[in-house]
Amino acid sequence: MPLPETMFCAQQIKIPPELPDILKQFTKAAIRTQPHDVLQWAAAYFSALSKGEPLPVKERIEMPLTTDKTDAVLTPGLLKILHKQLSPKGVVNVAELREKWKHLSLPEEPLKAILQLGNFSEEVEWIKILALGCTVLGGSLLSSMKHACEILTMDPEGGAARVPFETFSFLYLYLASIDGEIAEEETASFLSGIKEQADQQAGMVLLRNFLSQPSTLF
């Protein structure tokens, strides 16, 4: 067996030229994301990086929630990470969803509640998981739709948060059916008014337009 090479000086240590930038980007990502479990998140980060998959990184730092809980909680930024990672698939396996959820150190109880509420099997439509995730964030239908639009929009942060009417309508009808307390006639009338406004905006629903609707529909 050959003896290991003896190190005599620092010049013998070969550092890959791309390593400094990789570590710099990792550090910036960690600062933005503020992971609850750094080691678990770092493993997920480098695994995604090596596979060319979307990274589990927030777009910006979120203000910490005022809570006494020591566990991580679902936030718009974390839900947007999951959307970035899973939305390209359209339909996702529950096992993969659980894995991505765990990578963000999120407690299992909210995910269990989402899966039970949607009565999902082993394959789930991501858009429905996103919708129910927004109910965890918001509680009311109004705030849930607001979070959904802000996550789905291609507009910059603080912009109009536009989404296609078809997407808005699907989410609203789905959440209204889960809620079960809004009459179908009211839902149809509400969406008809939203569509009229969307038709004037190239088929896009603006966040401010539906926020001004009667609160009885939310």
Side-chain angles (χ1 to χ4, degrees):
M1 177 182 293
L3 295 175
E5 182 181 355
T6 303
M7 291 291 181
F8 294 100
C9 61
Q11 285 74 13
Q12 290 178 274
I13 301 174
K14 297 179 181 179
I15 300 177
E18 64 272 19
L19 181 60
D21 186 60
I22 289 175
L23 294 178
K24 178 181 178 181
Q25 296 305 320
F26 168 75
T27 302
K28 290 167 66 176
I31 292 172
R32 284 205 309 276
T33 307
Q34 299 286 301
H36 186 74
D37 185 328
V38 176
L39 292 180
Q40 183 167 257
W41 176 83
Y45 176 94
F46 284 111
S47 175
L49 184 65
S50 68
K51 297 174 183 176
E53 297 175 349
L55 301 175
V57 179
K58 290 182 182 178
E59 295 179 357
R60 61 179 181 84
I61 296 177
E62 289 183 293
M63 295 299 292
L65 297 174
T66 304
T67 176
D68 295 329
K69 294 183 179 180
T70 57
D71 294 334
V73 294
L74 187 64
T75 66
L78 292 176
L79 189 54
K80 194 163 188 175
I81 287 177
L82 292 170
H83 177 67
K84 207 168 38 170
Q85 294 178 315
L86 298 172
S87 62
K89 299 177 182 292
V91 175
V92 300
N93 187 279
V94 169
E96 182 179 6
L97 172 59
R98 291 184 187 277
E99 180 183 34
K100 299 297 186 187
W101 192 273
K102 183 179 178 181
H103 288 167
L104 299 176
S105 304
L106 290 169
E108 193 172 345
E109 287 73 20
L111 180 57
K112 282 183 178 179
I114 288 172
L115 294 174
Q116 290 174 358
L117 186 59
N119 194 28
F120 298 117
S121 59
E122 291 305 307
E123 299 288 329
V124 300
E125 293 180 67
W126 165 251
I127 192 68
K128 291 182 178 180
I129 294 292
L130 173 67
L132 294 177
C134 288
T135 67
V136 175
L137 297 176
S140 70
L141 182 52
L142 173 63
S143 57
S144 298
M145 290 298 298
K146 176 178 179 293
H147 283 303
C149 289
E150 290 172 341
I151 289 171
L152 291 169
T153 187
M154 300 299 292
D155 292 334
E157 184 180 352
R162 296 169 296 177
V163 296
F165 172 77
E166 292 76 12
T167 301
F168 181 91
S169 176
F170 177 86
L171 289 170
Y172 180 79
L173 287 171
Y174 178 66
L175 290 179
S177 70
I178 294 291
D179 181 88
E181 295 184 359
I182 303 176
E184 291 185 8
E185 304 79 40
E186 293 182 356
T187 297
S189 176
F190 167 73
L191 288 178
S192 177
I194 290 294
K195 189 175 188 307
E196 288 182 6
Q197 296 174 341
D199 287 342
Q200 299 173 11
Q201 300 291 334
M204 304 295 283
V205 177
L206 276 65
L207 181 62
R208 65 172 181 269
N209 286 347
F210 82 82
L211 288 179
S212 64
Q213 297 300 309
S215 60
T216 54
L217 294 179
F218 295 95

